[in-house]
Amino acid sequence: MAVLRRQLTELAREVDVEDPVAVRQARTRFIRAVLLWEFGPELREHPEWRPLMEGVEEALAARGENGDTEFVALLASLK
């Protein structure tokens, strides 16, 4: 868990939370990092890798502005 937290902290440091595009891109990088941490790098070779990533991104995007606010708060807490 410490390795993942370190990795996410590094990703968060690079994000301008005032830039919606940067926040959206960071969310994608966070999703990728968590999935690869949980299931291993070989998950990228699985045929369902891209649909899995897209599904998680869509589910988070469906939360709307509230989800964005929560993600920005997460980024801020990791900085």
Side-chain angles (χ1 to χ4, degrees), residues 63-79:
R63 297 198 56 190
E65 189 175 314
N66 189 38
D68 291 343
T69 302
E70 291 170 349
F71 185 66
V72 168
L74 172 65
L75 290 171
S77 75
L78 288 170
K79 286 188 173 206

